[in-house]
Short mmCIF file of all heavy atoms in Angstrom, two decimals:
data_model
loop_
_atom_site.label_atom_id
_atom_site.label_comp_id
_atom_site.label_asym_id
_atom_site.label_seq_id
_atom_site.Cartn_x
_atom_site.Cartn_y
_atom_site.Cartn_z
N CYS A 103 67.34 53.50 112.81
CA CYS A 103 67.79 54.32 111.69
C CYS A 103 69.27 54.53 111.71
O CYS A 103 69.88 54.64 112.80
CB CYS A 103 67.07 55.70 111.72
SG CYS A 103 67.53 56.81 110.42
N VAL A 147 73.77 70.52 121.85
CA VAL A 147 74.19 69.14 121.67
C VAL A 147 75.23 68.83 122.76
O VAL A 147 76.16 69.55 122.92
CB VAL A 147 74.84 68.88 120.25
CG1 VAL A 147 75.37 67.44 120.19
CG2 VAL A 147 73.84 69.17 119.17
N ASN A 166 82.80 73.23 110.20
CA ASN A 166 82.06 72.39 109.25
C ASN A 166 80.70 71.87 109.71
O ASN A 166 80.00 71.31 108.92
CB ASN A 166 82.94 71.10 108.97
CG ASN A 166 84.34 71.50 108.49
OD1 ASN A 166 84.53 72.46 107.75
ND2 ASN A 166 85.34 70.74 108.91
N SER A 171 79.13 77.70 119.01
CA SER A 171 80.10 77.58 120.11
C SER A 171 80.33 76.11 120.44
O SER A 171 79.47 75.29 120.21
CB SER A 171 79.58 78.34 121.37
OG SER A 171 78.52 77.62 121.97
#
Side-chain angles (χ1 to χ4, degrees):
C103 179
V147 175
N166 307 321
S171 72

